[in-house]
Amino acid sequence: EKLAARKKRKKEREALGDKAPPKAVPKTIENQRVYDETTVDPNDEEVAFDEATDEFAPYFNRQTVPKILITTSDRPRGRTVRFCEQLSTVIPNSHVYYRRGLALKRIIPQCIARDFTDLIVINEDRKIPNGLVLSHLPDGPTAHFRMSSVRLRKEIKRKGKEPTEHIPEVILNNFTTRLGHSVGRMFASLFPHDPQFIGRQVATFHNQRDYIFFRFHRYIFKSEKKVGIQELGPRFTLKLRSLQKGTFDSKFGEYEWIHKRREMDMNRRKFHL
Amino acid sequence: MAAPGGYHVWVGAETGALKGVNLRKKQATNFGVLNRGGGVCALCWGGPDQSELLVASLDRSVKLFSTEKGKFTDSWQCPGGDGPFCGIATHDSAIITCVESGLIRVWRQDGTEPLELEAGGGLCRMRQDPVNQQRLGTGGKENALKVWDLERPREPVFRAKNVRNDWLDLRVPIWDRDLQFLSSGKIVTCTAHRQIRVYDPASPQRRPVMEAMFGEAPLTALALPPGETSVVVGSAHGDIAVIDLRKGRVLRCLKGVSGGVRALQCHPLRPLLASCGLDRCLRLHHLGQGHLLHKVYLKSRLTSLLLSTHQDWETEEEEPPPPLEVKEEDEDALWDAMETVATAGNRPKKRKSSGL
């Protein structure tokens, strides 16, 4: 029945030729997205002031250089260890340390004393990484993500080489709401400010339907408009579970945003990031 | 006492702006200069007529804001002690300020030496008894509830005692985050260890009279609905619940908040609860049925709020109909003039307009 209707419409369109009405845009979930009132308006001065003076202001004013500590939960297993090493090649100026029975709350003052700006903790479950805690160190916000679909370098089908030491460019896509802006700025503050275009490397954080996809590519401009890309580096997807104001403190922390499944997932067309 | 524009709720934000929110039109207006160093710590009414607000900020200044004129009329610096303000109140045209290090000062208008009280360090909240304005309650981290009378600044009138050791024989830590005075003289406190406690200063027992546990997140705000058999608590995870004081059971959970709750207030006459917090939204819930009435997105994280109880929600509603009625009368006059010319078609139309 539907096929018949579609064929009829196609015939009408061909018959009308130039005067045919434009094709109807199909409805997708992104098209039908419920308008979020927290969407950031670029001209809004209060939000601009808020962002200019929040915890990332020293980074965006180029006063601090990011220095990142990557660690895991206790006793990491094979895949997680390799994932951490690959992640540290992707993010410049990062160090991997292993934890054997050290509490996070005690590590944090030591990190602040040694001038680290960010802390990444990769949580592991049954030998695969499944969670990420990203904490901006001098009392900055802490974001807790669920990580899925992790692909290590040798599992990605390509023929490229290893990523070099050049500082990559950063692309942040589709972080429109106020919460999305905060998370986007957290990701941006991981990478140093001046990307080295000689390296032709780019790290992309793409947000779609509240899932953040991370990809790392090397690009070549074949001509004015054609670009060839080669995927290198690990890839993973993240979903934000909570954003805590202040450093990681699970017992007494104050949360800026928590994902509450029963309340927030009721509408299929409403997204928060 | 209608303020210009009819602001129902006044909210203070971390960026230093005082926002007046009109719930009919769902609009907010900013008053004050945006200044991160001057983030609002506490708000209170200047007097029982609710025409003035006292705004206490992070840079230790207390500003007087007039709701009728719509601007800040006066400002004072209140130095002394360490840490941000944790409470502000007025009594007999004197301002009482309290800072986190425990220094409570009563600043008088005539410029004499401020009266000082030392309440111990690590304070989280100071509140004034609405019935007996000379009494103040203070509570904080490892600083149990103390009730002070301004006439006797040396010693607290009532000093609470910690509960007995728990079942492992360990000392139970104290962290009072918020407290409220009940009209019967009792005091309710909520702690960051998820406990809600009721103390009775009149009884010889210094330990809490009633204790209840709620939730898995520290409780950060407390409000009293009219009737005083229950309390409303808000937590750092965004759970707001109405808890019965007689048995300690949860009566109702109010949903919708996705960040930590910083301030709660109930309307004394209507079943309304206003809440604001770190998720940058002001929400109004219906207390009896629990559904969300209003939600306004205010762009910065909010720290404190004040409900205007003098504003009448009903008077606002009567304004739109009068202009319509005026138009109806004009139309009637028009149809009356035309009736003599054409009779049949106009009758049903005239009947319809007069029915309205």
Side-chain angles (χ1 to χ4, degrees):
Chain A
E1 201 182 279
K2 256 191 174 178
L3 276 176
R6 211 190 291 171
K7 278 189 183 165
K8 193 176 151 196
R9 247 187 283 142
K10 201 171 173 195
K11 274 193 192 156
E12 282 172 12
R13 186 183 295 275
E14 280 167 17
L16 286 174
D18 279 335
K19 292 183 237 159
K23 250 186 169 171
V25 178
K27 289 193 245 181
T28 63
I29 290 190
E30 283 91 1
N31 280 350
Q32 310 292 93
R33 179 176 175 172
V34 166
Y35 173 69
D36 198 338
E37 58 189 356
T38 61
T39 311
V40 176
D41 181 19
N43 301 332
D44 196 338
E45 54 171 39
E46 186 171 349
V47 176
F49 176 79
D50 202 9
E51 295 202 333
T53 50
D54 70 354
E55 291 99 356
F56 299 109
Y59 167 77
F60 283 98
N61 293 338
R62 304 202 177 209
Q63 285 163 2
T64 53
V65 176
K67 186 172 169 194
I68 293 140
L69 179 68
I70 304 181
T71 182
T72 65
S73 51
D74 233 16
R75 306 271 292 149
R77 291 304 190 191
R79 261 185 90 95
T80 315
V81 167
R82 274 178 275 148
F83 177 68
C84 285
E85 285 166 24
Q86 293 185 3
L87 200 61
S88 69
T89 58
V90 165
I91 304 177
N93 206 3
S94 60
H95 308 265
V96 184
Y97 283 98
Y98 292 118
R99 276 205 300 153
R100 279 189 214 97
L102 296 170
L104 269 181
K105 277 199 250 181
R106 294 218 187 102
I107 301 184
I108 287 175
Q110 289 186 12
C111 285
I112 299 177
R114 288 181 202 200
D115 268 347
F116 277 96
T117 54
D118 289 275
L119 174 70
I120 300 182
V121 182
I122 298 184
N123 196 8
E124 182 195 351
D125 178 51
R126 293 213 191 159
K127 305 170 197 169
I128 47 165
N130 71 344
L132 184 89
V133 175
L134 171 58
S135 183
H136 189 71
L137 273 182
D139 69 31
T142 305
H144 178 35
F145 297 95
R146 184 168 60 127
M147 188 154 60
S148 50
S149 184
V150 176
R151 302 276 175 262
L152 299 179
R153 217 164 263 152
K154 56 181 197 169
E155 290 156 16
I156 300 176
K157 296 182 183 135
R158 86 259 175 305
K159 290 179 226 161
K161 298 180 193 164
E162 303 291 312
T164 56
E165 289 291 321
H166 297 111
I167 299 176
E169 301 168 43
V170 180
I171 296 182
L172 297 162
N173 267 345
N174 212 10
F175 287 96
T176 48
T177 65
R178 186 72 188 81
L179 182 66
H181 257 245
S182 311
V183 173
R185 282 163 73 86
M186 276 190 94
F187 286 130
S189 71
L190 289 177
F191 294 90
H193 245 297
D194 308 303
Q196 290 169 319
F197 295 103
I198 321 170
R200 286 185 280 122
Q201 289 173 135
V202 58
T204 308
F205 291 90
H206 176 82
N207 171 36
Q208 190 160 344
R209 298 194 195 182
D210 280 353
Y211 283 90
I212 303 172
F213 299 93
F214 172 80
R215 302 283 182 270
F216 192 73
H217 294 281
R218 181 178 287 138
Y219 59 89
I220 303 180
F221 276 103
K222 291 181 195 160
S223 67
E224 261 294 317
K225 291 196 180 168
K226 275 194 170 180
V227 190
I229 53 174
Q230 205 181 55
E231 182 164 2
L232 15 125
R235 77 156 79 148
F236 51 89
T237 55
L238 297 172
K239 187 166 185 195
L240 182 67
R241 268 166 75 170
S242 65
L243 182 66
Q244 205 179 61
K245 185 183 175 197
T247 51
F248 180 74
D249 188 349
S250 56
K251 264 175 111 184
F252 299 115
E254 268 190 321
Y255 284 84
E256 229 185 275
W257 188 84
I258 299 186
H259 180 72
K260 291 191 184 168
R261 196 152 157 229
R262 295 267 170 79
E263 288 171 32
M264 292 180 187
D265 278 352
M266 282 284 115
N267 188 352
R268 286 192 75 178
R269 289 178 279 278
K270 182 166 175 56
F271 305 113
H272 307 281
L273 266 188
Chain B
M1 207 70 59
Y7 294 116
H8 299 115
V9 190
W10 296 94
V11 193
E14 262 186 20
T15 48
L18 176 69
K19 293 168 188 276
V21 183
N22 184 338
L23 292 167
R24 278 277 145 226
K25 300 178 204 162
K26 295 230 178 173
Q27 272 170 14
T29 349
N30 270 1
F31 296 100
V33 181
L34 288 179
N35 174 15
R36 182 65 73 149
V40 176
C41 297
L43 288 179
C44 91
W45 290 113
D49 55 353
Q50 294 188 357
S51 63
E52 284 175 339
L53 280 174
L54 282 172
V55 181
S57 335
L58 269 181
D59 55 358
R60 292 307 197 82
S61 67
V62 176
K63 299 190 197 91
L64 186 67
F65 179 82
S66 157
T67 51
E68 279 151 17
K69 295 180 203 156
K71 57 186 176 103
F72 289 97
T73 43
D74 213 347
S75 123
W76 298 275
Q77 275 294 119
C78 300
D82 276 329
F85 284 115
C86 59
I88 187 170
T90 56
H91 170 62
D92 275 351
S93 79
I95 300 175
I96 311 170
T97 59
C98 174
V99 274
E100 202 183 319
S101 65
L103 188 65
I104 303 180
R105 279 189 166 176
V106 184
W107 304 83
R108 284 181 232 278
Q109 289 290 355
D110 47 5
T112 51
E113 271 289 310
L115 181 66
E116 283 187 13
L117 276 175
E118 261 301 325
L123 276 195
C124 285
R125 189 67 82 165
M126 186 270 291
R127 276 210 207 260
Q128 189 186 35
D129 191 351
V131 169
N132 181 358
Q133 303 237 327
Q134 294 215 332
R135 305 213 316 167
L136 309 168
T138 58
K141 185 163 189 184
E142 294 307 324
N143 188 342
L145 172 73
K146 293 189 181 94
V147 181
W148 302 84
D149 193 328
L150 285 177
E151 318 251 290
R152 294 195 286 156
R154 289 294 130 213
E155 239 196 27
V157 169
F158 173 74
R159 191 201 303 248
K161 198 168 167 184
N162 195 7
V163 293
R164 293 203 172 87
N165 289 347
D166 61 8
W167 61 292
L168 290 172
D169 204 20
L170 294 171
R171 178 188 171 266
V172 177
I174 306 175
W175 192 346
D176 283 332
R177 287 293 283 261
D178 201 354
L179 61 112
Q180 288 276 1
F181 281 86
L182 291 170
S183 61
S184 52
K186 297 189 188 160
I187 304 161
V188 194
T189 57
C190 70
T191 66
H193 297 285
R194 306 172 269 291
Q195 295 143 337
I196 303 163
R197 293 175 169 157
V198 179
Y199 295 86
D200 193 357
S203 76
Q205 183 184 343
R206 278 170 60 203
R207 290 209 164 104
V209 170
M210 204 256 342
E211 181 170 340
M213 298 278 285
F214 170 69
E216 340 92 20
L219 303 173
T220 48
L222 191 67
L224 289 176
E228 303 217 338
T229 52
S230 51
V231 277
V232 189
V233 284
S235 74
H237 275 212
D239 313 312
I240 306 181
V242 182
I243 301 199
D244 186 25
L245 274 182
R246 292 169 290 193
K247 281 215 158 175
R249 282 187 309 125
V250 177
L251 287 176
R252 183 170 288 284
C253 266
L254 302 175
K255 295 195 177 183
V257 184
S258 49
V261 176
R262 279 288 177 90
L264 285 175
Q265 193 175 352
C266 289
H267 198 279
L269 302 168
R270 295 155 153 259
L272 286 178
L273 173 75
S275 63
C276 77
L278 293 176
D279 60 347
R280 303 163 215 259
C281 275
L282 168 73
R283 285 183 174 87
L284 242 84
H285 289 266
H286 190 278
L287 264 182
Q289 292 153 16
H291 56 254
L292 185 67
L293 288 170
H294 298 275
K295 175 182 163 197
V296 186
Y297 172 63
L298 306 163
K299 296 151 201 150
S300 342
R301 293 181 217 142
L302 310 167
T303 49
S304 44
L305 73 98
L306 274 183
L307 257 187
S308 160
T309 49
H310 285 215
Q311 279 288 327
D312 238 351
W313 267 265
E314 267 118 58
T315 51
E316 302 276 353
E317 254 185 283
E318 285 170 16
E319 282 172 27
L324 273 177
E325 283 175 22
V326 171
K327 275 190 204 156
E328 295 284 1
E329 283 163 10
D330 278 343
E331 274 183 40
D332 281 345
L334 201 67
W335 288 120
D336 282 334
M338 286 174 71
E339 207 179 355
T340 49
V341 179
T343 46
N346 283 340
R347 280 283 158 81
K349 278 190 187 163
K350 199 186 166 189
R351 219 178 287 135
K352 193 172 138 194
S353 60
S354 60
L356 276 172

